[in-house]
């Protein structure tokens, strides 16, 4: 297993600039593009830029949204970088009232209530939270500009979360726990108690009774660990004491590093295959989850979780820009890991 170096998780200006350059290279790249579009009639046949004047790049809508988040986060943390200036120019160019209104109109049309549910919803909220998190007026004004779209996502979560009788556990875009975590990040800034209550109730209802997880993962195209993201979500839904008890029952053999599959980076056989390339994301998101959970344990033994996180990060970090199937989204998950 990779030895944890002191700078393994260091996010410095050089690393931040490199990730920002990757994102800047595709947020306005229209093609190739994977469109998830419910046609109303033949008049509704359009290309990505016509359908989504803001988030038309990065291969798909949600990847474009979270690439904007990456750029906003780096611009907040490293405002003097040339890449931060380029990001601010992008925001000024794309986040106009007219374009945002068209993005919102798309969501409100008939038969599109499930568009980007819940992954894109959650990333949009995290983007808005990032814009509102700093003291830079050059960025914070976009939280207000995106507020109509954020309000729609909040209302959608409040309506849908109670209706979702069963959680989606698969480690792809439909995962319930991951969306819950990002939406709770938005709650921290918005102080929306009603949204928080809906999200917390959902987590407790779906996962509160889970015991002795067997961790049937990885699957071919998973980029999230169903096991670990559930644990991160529960750490946000429960008090520290309640989470500690839940965690010990959920992974009772943690001290023996069992289930073993969770502790070893996954193998990626073909980074040119759009689905198999997801496994680089699984390594990165596991690293993020392990770091987050190690922090949640506080003074309790972390069972070498930081070492495990470092091994997963190391397995994927060199491949953020190997091929467009990974380049259009992987840097976001690397940034989540560095920021954990």
């Amino acid at each position: 297993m990779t030895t944890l170096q002191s700078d393994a998780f260091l996010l410095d200006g050089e690393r931040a600039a490199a990730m920002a350059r990757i994102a800047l290279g595709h947020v306005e790249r229209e093609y190739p593009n994977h469109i998830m579009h419910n046609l109303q009639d033949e008049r509704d046949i359009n290309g990505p830029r016509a359908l989504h004047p803001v988030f038309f790049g990065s291969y798909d809508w949600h990847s474009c949204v979270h690439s904007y988040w990456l750029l906003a986060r780096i611009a907040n943390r490293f405002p003097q970088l040339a890449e931060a200036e380029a990001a601010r120019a992008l925001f000024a160019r794309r986040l106009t009232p007219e374009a945002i209104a068209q993005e919102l109109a798309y969501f409100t049309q008939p038969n599109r209530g499930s568009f980007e549910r819940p992954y894109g919803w959650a990333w949009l909220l995290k983007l808005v939270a990032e814009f509102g998190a700093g003291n830079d007026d050059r960025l914070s004004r976009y939280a207000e500009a995106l507020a109509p779209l954020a309000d729609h996502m909040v209302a959608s979560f409040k309506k849908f979360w109670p209706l979702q009788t069963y959680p989606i556990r698969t480690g792809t875009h439909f995962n319930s726990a991951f969306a819950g975590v990002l939406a709770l990040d938005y709650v921290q800034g918005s102080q929306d108690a009603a949204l928080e209550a809906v999200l917390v109730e959902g987590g407790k209802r779906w996962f509160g009774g889970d015991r002795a997880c067997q961790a049937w993962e990885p699957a071919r195209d998973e980029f999230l660990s169903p096991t670990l993201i559930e644990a991160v979500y529960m750490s946000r839904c429960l008090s520290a004491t309640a989470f500690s008890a839940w965690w010990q029952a959920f992974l009772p053999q943690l001290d023996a590093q069992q289930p073993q599959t969770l502790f070893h980076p996954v193998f990626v056989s073909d980074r040119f295959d759009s689905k198999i390339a997801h496994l680089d994301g699984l390594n990165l998101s596991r690293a993020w989850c392990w770091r987050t959970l190690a922090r949640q344990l506080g003074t309790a033994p972390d069972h070498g979780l930081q070492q495990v996180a470092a091994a997963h990060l190391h397995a994927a970090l060199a491949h953020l820009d190997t091929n467009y199937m990974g380049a259009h989204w992987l840097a976001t998950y690397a940034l989540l890991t560095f920021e954990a």
Side-chain angles (χ1 to χ4, degrees):
M1 184 171 291
T2 300
T3 301
L4 179 62
Q5 302 295 324
S6 60
D7 63 347
F9 300 115
L10 173 65
L11 180 63
D12 57 16
E14 182 178 356
R15 276 180 169 168
M19 289 189 290
R21 285 193 297 271
I22 293 173
L24 287 165
H26 59 70
V27 287
E28 294 181 292
R29 177 176 172 175
E30 189 170 6
Y31 297 103
N33 204 296
H34 179 68
I35 295 179
M36 295 178 288
H37 179 45
N38 190 313
L39 293 168
Q40 307 300 310
D41 54 43
E42 66 276 6
R43 294 170 298 178
D44 210 17
I45 299 173
N46 268 309
R49 192 185 297 256
L51 294 170
H52 300 292
V54 180
F55 304 117
F56 61 83
S58 307
Y59 191 70
D60 48 39
W61 193 89
H62 49 257
S63 296
C64 197
V65 171
H66 68 62
S67 295
Y68 270 70
W69 170 80
L70 178 149
L71 292 168
R73 182 61 184 157
I74 289 174
N76 263 328
R77 284 204 57 186
F78 301 94
Q80 302 308 316
L81 289 176
E83 292 79 6
E85 180 59 33
R88 290 189 290 268
L90 167 75
F91 302 149
R93 186 164 61 249
R94 293 296 171 197
L95 296 176
T96 65
E98 297 78 15
I100 292 168
Q102 188 174 333
E103 291 280 0
L104 176 59
Y106 186 90
F107 279 89
T108 60
Q109 290 171 7
N111 302 313
R112 291 186 181 149
S114 62
F115 178 68
E116 288 291 349
R117 183 179 74 192
Y119 187 77
W121 297 1
W123 270 117
L124 191 283
L125 290 181
K126 189 166 178 66
L127 170 61
V128 173
E130 186 58 43
F131 277 134
N135 297 314
D136 188 341
D137 290 341
R138 295 173 297 179
L139 297 176
S140 60
R141 62 194 177 103
Y142 295 114
E144 182 176 353
L146 285 164
L149 196 52
D151 290 345
H152 177 81
M153 302 309 182
V154 168
S156 297
F157 267 108
K158 289 178 179 177
K159 179 180 179 180
F160 179 68
W161 235 231
L163 296 176
Q164 189 171 247
T165 306
Y166 311 105
I168 296 179
R169 297 174 181 267
T170 186
T172 60
H173 307 88
F174 307 103
N175 185 277
S176 302
F178 181 76
V181 170
L182 296 195
L184 283 169
D185 288 344
Y186 172 82
V187 166
Q188 287 184 331
S190 69
Q191 300 298 307
D192 188 326
L195 176 60
E196 181 179 26
V198 165
L199 295 167
V200 168
E201 189 278 332
K204 291 178 178 178
R205 172 165 47 91
W206 295 328
F207 306 122
D210 286 1
R211 299 291 185 269
C213 179
Q214 298 183 55
W216 297 116
E217 57 177 272
R220 181 204 64 183
D221 65 341
E222 289 186 328
F223 60 90
L224 298 167
S225 165
T227 304
L228 299 181
I229 192 58
E230 172 184 338
V232 172
Y233 189 26
M234 289 302 286
S235 76
R236 303 286 297 276
C237 293
L238 301 173
S239 68
T241 300
F243 174 70
S244 179
W246 180 90
W247 170 252
Q248 291 176 47
F250 183 62
L251 290 178
Q253 299 186 68
L254 187 68
D255 57 347
Q257 294 202 339
Q258 296 291 333
Q260 189 178 54
T261 184
L262 296 175
F263 293 86
H264 298 281
V266 302
F267 172 68
V268 185
S269 62
D270 184 0
R271 291 186 168 87
F272 289 80
D273 183 292
S274 62
K275 294 298 186 180
I276 297 175
H278 276 179
L279 294 174
D280 273 321
L282 178 58
N283 281 328
L284 291 169
S285 67
R286 278 186 178 181
W288 165 59
C289 287
W290 279 130
R291 290 199 74 204
T292 301
L293 292 165
R295 185 186 70 237
Q296 292 293 334
L297 292 172
T299 57
D302 73 3
H303 304 283
L305 301 189
Q306 294 285 6
Q307 294 280 2
V308 175
H312 281 82
L313 176 63
H314 179 75
L317 197 56
H319 303 292
L320 300 186
D321 202 17
T322 296
N323 178 265
Y324 197 56
M325 289 301 97
H328 75 272
W329 66 282
L330 284 174
T332 296
Y333 284 81
L335 184 57
L336 284 175
T337 303
F338 287 124
E339 294 274 84

